[in-house]
Amino acid sequence: MSSEECIDFFFKPESIALIGASPNPEKLSHTILESLRKMKFKGKIYPVNPGYREIEGLKCYSTPGEIENKIDIAIFAVPAKAVLEVLRGHVENIKGAIIVSSGFRETGLGGKKMEDELKALLKEKGIRAMGPNCLGIYDTVSNVDTFFIEREKIERPVRDGVSVLTQSGSFAAMIMDELANEGAGIARVVSYGNKVDVDESDCLEFLARDEATKAVALYIESVANGRRFLEVASSCAKKKPIVALKVGKREPGARAASSHTGAISGMYEAYEAAFRKTGIIEAASYEELKDACKVLNRYSPVEGKRVLIITDGGGIGISIADACEEAGLRVPELSETAVKKLKEKLPAFASVRNPVDLTGSVRNEHYVAALQETPAEEYDLAIVSLLWGPPLLTGGVAGKIRDFADSCGKPILISSPGGKFSRELASAFTKTGMPVFFTPESAVRAAAVLCGGKK
Amino acid sequence: MSSEECIDFFFKPESIALIGASPNPEKLSHTILESLRKMKFKGKIYPVNPGYREIEGLKCYSTPGEIENKIDIAIFAVPAKAVLEVLRGHVENIKGAIIVSSGFRETGLGGKKMEDELKALLKEKGIRAMGPNCLGIYDTVSNVDTFFIEREKIERPVRDGVSVLTQSGSFAAMIMDELANEGAGIARVVSYGNKVDVDESDCLEFLARDEATKAVALYIESVANGRRFLEVASSCAKKKPIVALKVGKREPGARAASSHTGAISGMYEAYEAAFRKTGIIEAASYEELKDACKVLNRYSPVEGKRVLIITDGGGIGISIADACEEAGLRVPELSETAVKKLKEKLPAFASVRNPVDLTGSVRNEHYVAALQETPAEEYDLAIVSLLWGPPLLTGGVAGKIRDFADSCGKPILISSPGGKFSRELASAFTKTGMPVFFTPESAVRAAAVLCGGKK
């Protein structure tokens, strides 16, 4: 079955039914209802629970069949057994299901049997499904949020360009929380858990043609259908960057991955080869995948590996240069012409090499001058690292660097190490939409992703 | 000259003179005076400036010679030329100098000449000196703080066991700020800049016999006297762990390091060999050095490389296991006995392998049970990773895990990824003195340091 027409509705639903809705704030379903409302979901919401006539001001239905209209997404937030029971009833008006319930394949043989039955029921009723054992969809484009963890616990990122696909719900929650905390956004997140039906290839196929998605980040424990994945990923990678983290690379990670969603995570080497073949950029670590999301929200990969480093902290500049070399990037010496131009425009205290060190006497305009005077043909991307100690360095520098980035067309990555004060000043960059990284190595990880990933 | 008796006074001064003291809040010297007072420095403070009779309620002297008593530390916060002028005068009562001023060797030939003169003058007058071009000392033991960057910009860490030695002032400021921001402490920090006199070996010699220092973190651009460093480091490493980051490893990092403090940073391979020979643990990156500081504040290195992983997020557990394998650590399978014991004490939803996955249904006591039931002889250290989504997981778990860590004697490292909510809950661990790491990889970097560092 081609999923072409089949799964798009998950990302632009007009109606959502919440099976197992409850007025009890301790129930997961209550959190989901709250999440949908906080997202200002524009479509219809139908609570379903035979025990209530009304929940939170919404009419409550006994069964999905009782709802007169079609249901784009039915969120199942009931125990595993109840999922099967509901599906045995009248569910002809349900197009898609998101089954957040656990208690299936991941729990062993009994669960595996129930999941087989689930699969058969879904097929029989013609329902496409995500899950079970998942968090579902967080979508800043369609304003859908089926995550059953409160916003007080897991922050929701604002809208941006990267979409995330993941089996692991805990991974989805973690990266959303951290991106939001670092001021970064996201387009859509899908946590598809045990993949009883919809899998990474289905989602990737949709994201490939999704205008709201600028790049895709994949967290992979295992791939269901290798051949289809290769096709879909190759085709998607031609249109937009895909970055992937394979986890469970070797024993014992692989062992744990197998128990976690009941899947068998294949040999890592096969995945490496597949990534190379399809043009997927491989992330070396969780940290790199997160850094990739931040940088791909704004920039596209570049040809070349030459990094220009501009800093006001000599030690940081050297650490960044070291990390670049380590990651297979180059920090080329500047040409004589460039050095001459820089010397003319920068004060004598500046060290005019690559890294350019503007020292603690720096002013905002020196950062801009260093960028403007370095000939564009001498580097492929720049890391601009700011320590905020210098009294004449202010948040005002952000707008100016952003303007330069817009006009020069090359990725400019901001590195701003430090604590509270630094983060506050660095938020001036975040506000302009520029990605900010908090350690020398994280900026370099992002640069490495733009330059094609793992050596 | 043996520095044995010579530099200890820098770390227990009874009197500090501030050359170039000023009531003008925009002057560096003003920030230093404020820093000393905020540290509640118990000794005498003598402002020196011929332009004032009194500064901030303290009697101000025209010259250091005018001060009747001996001066343990004279902080020079005046331009390079003025440093030389003052030293040409009556300075017989000065034992040690911290010359924060820049404008010496790092600026080129003219500066080099001035630094040569500085060196000669210091020798002639019998004054030991740190700097120039440095931040000096931040010391939670002696309550000294000569850093001229305000606390609002660079947070000061609380007292703890690791001391940091660095040429780079920006590095010193950055790591202090970040450690403080992550709730971690420090013993003493020395930023010695151009090393006209006191160098890493002098400081290391002191720290080796310093009871307040539990471990040493070194940031090295270059080492002045290789033979002496080998001796001192070997002797220190026998008493307490030393972890070192060599920056300027290769071109072009090396090129930048050379311009930064005017030193020539030797071949990286020589440093690697020296680290191995002396028993120094090498940190692979800035991030690893920071993680090392956090973990060495509480734990000592272990024999063995077997890591027990306990988590409530399957995906995170796998990521940690992957990162362990990547770092040369082992995540051994648990014995049948261990699995049996764990199965008895843990609920059926838990996955009883290594990583142990307690899932989103976890309660505080399950973490404790997982630690208690795993036989101590099956691992060398444990990484306990908590996602705080589960409603029955609370900050109360921290005290219980801390109690277990105290009784079992093995390092227990806490990993708590996520944003604001997670950091707040994780602070329950920080308060008990346990180190907390915010990404899967950072906990593993710390574990790798305890297991001996780079593969």
Side-chain angles (χ1 to χ4, degrees), chain A residues 149-150 152-155 168 170-171 174 177-178 180-182 219 221 245-260 284-288 290 312-319 321-322 325-326 330-334 351 353-355 357 387-393 416-423 438-442 445 454, chain B residues 149-150 152-155 168 170-171 174 177-178 180-182 219 221 245-260 284-288 290 312-319 321-322 325-326 330-334 351 353-355 357 387-393 416-423 438-442 445 454:
Chain A
I149 308 172
E150 302 90 317
E152 291 69 36
K153 291 189 169 183
I154 299 292
E155 265 188 275
S168 164
S170 67
F171 169 81
M174 176 171 80
D177 196 20
E178 295 196 342
N181 189 45
E182 296 179 14
Y219 169 99
E221 291 175 6
L245 175 68
K246 168 72 177 92
V247 297
K249 285 182 190 167
R250 317 189 187 280
E251 286 294 327
R255 200 167 65 231
S258 147
S259 111
H260 178 220
S285 63
Y286 162 72
E287 292 177 336
E288 189 162 308
K290 185 179 71 173
D312 59 344
I316 313 300
I318 305 168
S319 294
D322 275 350
E325 302 282 316
E326 201 81 26
R330 289 180 49 220
V331 184
E333 254 189 286
L334 299 178
S351 167
R353 288 152 165 265
N354 187 12
D357 180 5
L387 293 176
W388 297 97
L392 299 172
L393 184 63
S416 170
K420 284 192 197 78
F421 178 76
S422 294
R423 298 231 170 176
F438 301 112
T439 65
E441 287 85 4
S442 64
R445 283 191 291 265
K454 271 180 64 176
Chain B
I149 308 172
E150 302 90 317
E152 291 69 34
K153 291 190 168 181
I154 299 293
E155 265 189 277
S168 164
S170 67
F171 171 80
M174 176 171 82
D177 195 22
E178 296 197 340
N181 189 44
E182 296 180 13
Y219 169 99
E221 290 176 6
L245 175 67
K246 167 73 177 92
V247 297
K249 284 181 190 167
R250 315 186 190 282
E251 287 293 326
R255 200 168 64 229
S258 147
S259 111
H260 177 220
S285 62
Y286 162 72
E287 291 177 337
E288 190 161 309
K290 184 179 72 172
D312 58 345
I316 313 300
I318 305 168
S319 293
D322 276 349
E325 302 281 317
E326 202 80 28
R330 289 181 48 221
V331 184
E333 256 190 284
L334 299 177
S351 167
R353 287 152 167 265
N354 188 14
D357 180 5
L387 292 176
W388 297 97
L392 298 172
L393 184 63
S416 170
K420 284 193 197 78
F421 179 76
S422 293
R423 298 233 170 174
F438 301 112
T439 64
E441 287 86 2
S442 64
R445 283 191 291 264
K454 270 181 64 177

Side-chain angles (χ1 to χ4, degrees), chain A residues 225-454:
Chain A
N225 179 335
R227 179 184 294 270
R228 174 139 190 267
F229 179 75
L230 284 178
E231 278 173 25
V232 172
S234 296
S235 148
C236 179
K238 286 192 185 78
K239 294 185 200 149
K240 52 192 80 176
I242 310 175
V243 54
L245 175 68
K246 168 72 177 92
V247 297
K249 285 182 190 167
R250 317 189 187 280
E251 286 294 327
R255 200 167 65 231
S258 147
S259 111
H260 178 220
T261 53
I264 291 161
S265 54
M267 269 171 49
Y268 172 53
E269 288 68 23
Y271 284 92
E272 270 189 310
F275 293 157
R276 263 198 308 276
K277 197 169 169 187
T278 51
I280 289 178
I281 301 166
E282 186 179 353
S285 63
Y286 162 72
E287 292 177 336
E288 189 162 308
L289 191 68
K290 185 179 71 173
D291 295 327
C293 289
K294 289 167 71 175
V295 83
L296 290 171
N297 268 331
R298 182 161 167 89
Y299 298 117
S300 300
V302 296
E303 297 291 326
K305 293 174 182 288
R306 296 169 306 162
V307 182
L308 169 68
I309 302 168
I310 301 174
T311 182
D312 59 344
I316 313 300
I318 305 168
S319 294
I320 294 176
D322 275 350
C324 281
E325 302 282 316
E326 201 81 26
L329 307 180
R330 289 180 49 220
V331 184
E333 254 189 286
L334 299 178
S335 69
E336 274 180 48
T337 329
V339 170
K340 198 166 158 247
K341 283 180 74 183
L342 283 164
K343 276 197 173 155
E344 268 167 28
K345 299 284 179 170
L346 292 175
F349 56 71
S351 167
V352 178
R353 288 152 165 265
N354 187 12
V356 177
D357 180 5
L358 302 169
T359 82
S361 308
V362 70
R363 294 162 174 266
N364 291 359
E365 57 265 33
H366 300 147
Y367 269 106
V368 183
L371 283 166
Q372 282 172 340
E373 300 305 323
T374 308
E377 61 273 19
E378 297 196 16
Y379 64 97
D380 303 303
L381 61 83
I383 297 177
V384 172
S385 180
L386 306 99
L387 293 176
W388 297 97
L392 299 172
L393 184 63
T394 70
V397 75
K400 287 175 189 143
I401 293 183
R402 152 75 184 239
D403 289 346
F404 176 81
D406 283 346
S407 70
C408 88
K410 290 186 193 276
I412 311 280
L413 281 54
I414 305 300
S415 149
S416 170
K420 284 192 197 78
F421 178 76
S422 294
R423 298 231 170 176
E424 210 175 293
L425 278 163
S427 70
F429 284 99
T430 319
K431 278 175 201 140
T432 70
M434 294 188 80
V436 178
F437 303 90
F438 301 112
T439 65
E441 287 85 4
S442 64
V444 173
R445 283 191 291 265
V449 164
L450 289 186
C451 297
K454 271 180 64 176

Side-chain angles (χ1 to χ4, degrees), chain B residues 131-346:
Chain B
N133 186 26
C134 75
L135 285 173
I137 294 177
Y138 170 73
D139 194 326
T140 62
V141 187
S142 66
N143 297 348
V144 168
D145 182 355
T146 72
F147 280 38
F148 54 74
I149 308 172
E150 302 90 317
R151 294 175 158 234
E152 291 69 34
K153 291 190 168 181
I154 299 293
E155 265 189 277
R156 305 310 202 245
V158 295
R159 181 165 176 176
D160 213 326
V162 173
S163 290
V164 177
L165 300 180
T166 167
Q167 280 167 271
S168 164
S170 67
F171 171 80
M174 176 171 82
I175 200 164
M176 278 169 53
D177 195 22
E178 296 197 340
L179 288 174
N181 189 44
E182 296 180 13
I186 216 129
R188 317 186 196 249
V189 180
V190 188
S191 145
Y192 41 73
N194 292 6
K195 306 191 278 192
V196 68
D197 172 25
V198 171
D199 65 13
E200 53 284 326
S201 299
D202 299 319
C203 294
L204 202 51
E205 207 172 45
F206 164 72
L207 293 179
R209 61 178 179 270
D210 173 29
E211 280 179 21
T213 295
K214 201 181 137 123
V216 182
L218 277 172
Y219 169 99
I220 296 178
E221 290 176 6
S222 66
V223 159
N225 179 335
R227 180 185 292 270
R228 174 140 191 266
F229 179 75
L230 284 177
E231 278 173 25
V232 173
S234 295
S235 148
C236 179
K238 287 193 185 79
K239 294 186 200 149
K240 53 192 78 175
I242 310 176
V243 55
L245 175 67
K246 167 73 177 92
V247 297
K249 284 181 190 167
R250 315 186 190 282
E251 287 293 326
R255 200 168 64 229
S258 147
S259 111
H260 177 220
T261 54
I264 292 161
S265 54
M267 269 173 47
Y268 172 52
E269 289 66 24
Y271 284 93
E272 270 189 311
F275 293 158
R276 264 197 309 274
K277 197 168 168 190
T278 50
I280 288 178
I281 301 166
E282 186 182 354
S285 62
Y286 162 72
E287 291 177 337
E288 190 161 309
L289 191 68
K290 184 179 72 172
D291 294 328
C293 289
K294 289 167 72 173
V295 82
L296 291 171
N297 268 331
R298 183 162 165 88
Y299 299 117
S300 301
V302 296
E303 297 289 325
K305 293 175 181 289
R306 296 168 307 161
V307 182
L308 170 68
I309 301 168
I310 302 174
T311 182
D312 58 345
I316 313 300
I318 305 168
S319 293
I320 294 175
D322 276 349
C324 281
E325 302 281 317
E326 202 80 28
L329 307 180
R330 289 181 48 221
V331 184
E333 256 190 284
L334 299 177
S335 70
E336 274 179 48
T337 328
V339 170
K340 200 165 156 246
K341 284 179 72 183
L342 283 164
K343 278 199 171 153
E344 269 167 28
K345 300 284 177 169
L346 291 176

Side-chain angles (χ1 to χ4, degrees), chain A residues 123-191:
Chain A
K123 198 161 183 192
E124 181 193 324
K125 308 273 179 162
I127 297 173
R128 299 300 313 256
M130 292 181 180
N133 186 27
C134 74
L135 286 172
I137 293 176
Y138 171 74
D139 194 325
T140 62
V141 187
S142 66
N143 297 347
V144 168
D145 181 356
T146 72
F147 280 37
F148 54 72
I149 308 172
E150 302 90 317
R151 292 175 160 236
E152 291 69 36
K153 291 189 169 183
I154 299 292
E155 265 188 275
R156 304 314 201 244
V158 294
R159 180 164 177 178
D160 213 326
V162 173
S163 290
V164 178
L165 300 179
T166 166
Q167 280 167 273
S168 164
S170 67
F171 169 81
M174 176 171 80
I175 200 163
M176 278 168 54
D177 196 20
E178 295 196 342
L179 287 174
N181 189 45
E182 296 179 14
I186 216 131
R188 317 185 195 250
V189 181
V190 188
S191 144

